Amino acid sequence: MTIVVKTMRQERGSATRDVILATAERLFAERGIHAVSNRQISEAAGQGNSAAVGYHFGTKADLVRAIARKHTDQMEQLRVTMVADAAGSTDVRDWVACLVRPFTGHLADLGSPTWYARFCVQVTSDPALHEIMIEQALTSASLQMLVVGLHQCLPGLPPSVRDERSVMARHLIAQICVERERALAEGALTLYPSWDDLAASLIDAIVGLWQATMTHRP
Amino acid sequence: MTIVVKTMRQERGSATRDVILATAERLFAERGIHAVSNRQISEAAGQGNSAAVGYHFGTKADLVRAIARKHTDQMEQLRVTMVADAAGSTDVRDWVACLVRPFTGHLADLGSPTWYARFCVQVTSDPALHEIMIEQALTSASLQMLVVGLHQCLPGLPPSVRDERSVMARHLIAQICVERERALAEGALTLYPSWDDLAASLIDAIVGLWQATMTHRP
């Protein structure tokens, strides 16, 4: 009997955590991570106790980390399969697809509206929270393999230019996804009929960017 | 005598406006446009009257427009010269340079730290303020000439792909400049030794992006 009660309590705790995570992600995306307090999240998540966020997650950085982790775990599954398929390829396009499609595919899987792209760009551009995204990237085995695969296709590119273009590709993916996510959320026009079309256009563009002639030696 | 008094008053008014513009731009960049009130700007600008911003500029959108206008006027001067030099060119690179260098050159001219790149991305991504940037772009004769020149170098590209890549190029310029601006403001490491190096790398990448093979027909 004690065990059953415990399990029900744990389930309730887990459901509460899920509601808090989803509410926080939405509020962060719509109003900005710094504009939203833990108390506001607790209230919007229907928690009687305004300290619920703190109780379940700790600090705001811990909450941000938990949201990021939930999504990166799901994207990792998509990426692992793609990277396995691309193994041994010397075509830049295959590796760029492994970079783009797990993100756009995940957004498509979530159904409309999504908030994750807007959440991501905020975390990435925040000096204090930025580390959380690096942490997530460093624990992704498939992302490490992707980077190795991509670099092997571009042997002539100096490491500093690789770093520059890698940052550019990341910004491009994030910003173009944010733009579509926001347009869908607001019922505005989007440039792309689907996440899949967006991915195809992005992959073309990023392949061009990686293969661009280097006129400038850093 | 009346005339002299009036002129001094006007000068004082103009100096007050300049201080308010500079203060608002800094606060917007550092804390977010929506997180900063007109009252806070008035106070930070050393105005005894907390309604000074409203008195000199009107609404927050009017203030944002005035900040944008000040910078776009200065960038327009740089772009007019560059576009005149590029006239008749069929090299994508010349037109991409006209897109990138007026922005990076302007940031370099302002001296460090700058706030304008961070201000720009906020305005561009805000559904309510976004129109202000479009307004500024539409009144720039040199920008219209640049677009025509660029399109003439890329006759095979369908209009929808041109639109997509144009949005991508804009995001790329804005985000890479924001990253350097923020790093300089925080005393952090930057990928680029100077705005000029950043411009050269961006131009290479954006030329690659524009010339990318189109595997996907929209």
Side-chain angles (χ1 to χ4, degrees):
Chain A
M1 183 62 184
T2 328
I3 294 165
V4 175
V5 172
K6 211 172 165 188
T7 309
M8 281 175 65
R9 236 184 235 160
Q10 281 174 335
E11 265 177 29
R12 209 161 51 214
S14 160
T16 303
R17 283 174 60 94
D18 287 349
V19 172
I20 291 174
L21 281 183
T23 307
E25 184 184 323
R26 175 172 60 78
L27 294 180
F28 288 161
E30 290 176 348
R31 302 192 207 158
I33 295 178
H34 289 292
V36 178
S37 67
N38 280 3
R39 168 187 284 267
Q40 287 170 322
I41 297 166
S42 297
E43 281 166 12
Q47 297 301 308
N49 184 348
S50 67
V53 168
Y55 172 75
H56 285 280
F57 292 97
T59 66
K60 194 185 263 186
D62 294 327
L63 175 59
V64 165
R65 187 177 291 106
I67 297 170
R69 167 62 63 194
K70 188 182 75 175
H71 291 282
T72 49
D73 282 352
Q74 292 170 18
M75 286 189 288
E76 181 70 7
Q77 291 178 29
L78 300 174
R79 207 186 298 109
V80 162
T81 314
M82 287 196 72
V83 165
D85 288 346
S89 168
T90 53
D91 186 348
V92 176
R93 184 171 300 273
D94 290 334
W95 297 106
V96 171
C98 293
L99 197 67
V100 172
R101 290 206 180 270
F103 194 56
T104 56
H106 178 57
L107 290 168
D109 290 346
L110 291 171
S112 185
T114 57
W115 294 275
Y116 185 58
R118 286 170 285 174
F119 168 84
C120 270
V121 292
Q122 286 186 61
V123 179
T124 309
S125 66
D126 187 288
L129 300 172
H130 182 226
E131 286 296 317
I132 293 175
M133 285 307 190
I134 297 180
E135 234 172 76
Q136 306 289 321
L138 290 177
T139 57
S140 160
S142 68
L143 206 50
Q144 309 307 314
M145 287 168 68
L146 184 169
V147 169
V148 173
L150 183 61
H151 290 179
Q152 279 173 347
C153 304
L154 299 157
L157 226 48
S160 63
V161 177
R162 285 204 308 229
D163 290 347
E164 292 173 6
R165 293 188 179 175
S166 162
V167 170
M168 290 182 196
R170 248 188 294 125
H171 277 302
L172 217 43
I173 298 169
Q175 293 298 325
I176 299 300
C177 288
V178 161
E179 194 153 299
R180 182 164 203 272
E181 179 179 275
R182 197 181 280 134
L184 288 176
E186 289 162 6
L189 280 176
T190 68
L191 274 178
Y192 308 92
S194 69
W195 286 112
D196 201 55
D197 287 289
L198 178 147
S201 289
L202 260 184
I203 292 167
D204 278 354
I206 294 173
V207 168
L209 186 154
W210 273 111
Q211 295 180 326
T213 307
M214 198 181 67
T215 63
H216 171 66
R217 225 185 219 269
Chain B
M1 183 59 185
T2 326
I3 294 167
V4 175
V5 172
K6 213 171 163 187
T7 308
M8 280 174 66
R9 240 185 231 159
Q10 282 173 334
E11 266 177 25
R12 209 161 50 212
S14 160
T16 303
R17 285 173 59 95
D18 288 348
V19 171
I20 292 174
L21 281 183
T23 306
E25 184 183 323
R26 175 172 60 78
L27 294 180
F28 288 162
E30 290 176 348
R31 301 192 207 158
I33 295 177
H34 290 291
V36 178
S37 67
N38 281 3
R39 169 188 284 267
Q40 287 170 323
I41 298 165
S42 297
E43 281 167 11
Q47 298 301 307
N49 184 348
S50 67
V53 169
Y55 172 76
H56 284 280
F57 292 97
T59 66
K60 195 186 263 188
D62 295 327
L63 175 59
V64 165
R65 186 176 292 106
I67 296 170
R69 167 62 63 195
K70 188 182 74 175
H71 291 282
T72 50
D73 282 351
Q74 291 170 18
M75 286 189 288
E76 182 68 9
Q77 291 178 28
L78 300 175
R79 207 187 298 110
V80 162
T81 314
M82 286 196 73
V83 165
D85 288 345
S89 168
T90 53
D91 185 348
V92 176
R93 184 170 301 273
D94 290 335
W95 298 106
V96 171
C98 293
L99 197 67
V100 172
R101 292 208 179 268
F103 194 57
T104 56
H106 178 57
L107 290 168
D109 289 346
L110 290 171
S112 185
T114 57
W115 294 275
Y116 185 59
R118 286 169 287 174
F119 168 84
C120 270
V121 292
Q122 286 185 61
V123 179
T124 309
S125 66
D126 187 287
L129 300 172
H130 181 225
E131 286 296 316
I132 292 175
M133 284 306 191
I134 297 181
E135 235 173 76
Q136 305 289 320
L138 290 177
T139 56
S140 160
S142 68
L143 207 49
Q144 310 307 314
M145 287 167 67
L146 184 169
V147 170
V148 173
L150 183 61
H151 289 178
Q152 280 173 348
C153 304
L154 299 157
L157 226 48
S160 62
V161 177
R162 284 204 309 230
D163 290 347
E164 292 173 7
R165 293 188 180 175
S166 162
V167 170
M168 290 181 198
R170 248 189 294 126
H171 278 302
L172 218 44
I173 298 169
Q175 294 298 325
I176 299 300
C177 288
V178 161
E179 194 154 299
R180 181 165 204 272
E181 179 179 276
R182 197 181 282 133
L184 288 176
E186 289 162 5
L189 279 176
T190 69
L191 274 177
Y192 307 93
S194 69
W195 287 111
D196 201 55
D197 288 289
L198 179 147
S201 288
L202 261 184
I203 292 168
D204 279 354
I206 294 173
V207 168
L209 186 155
W210 273 110
Q211 295 181 326
T213 307
M214 198 181 67
T215 63
H216 171 67
R217 233 203 202 262

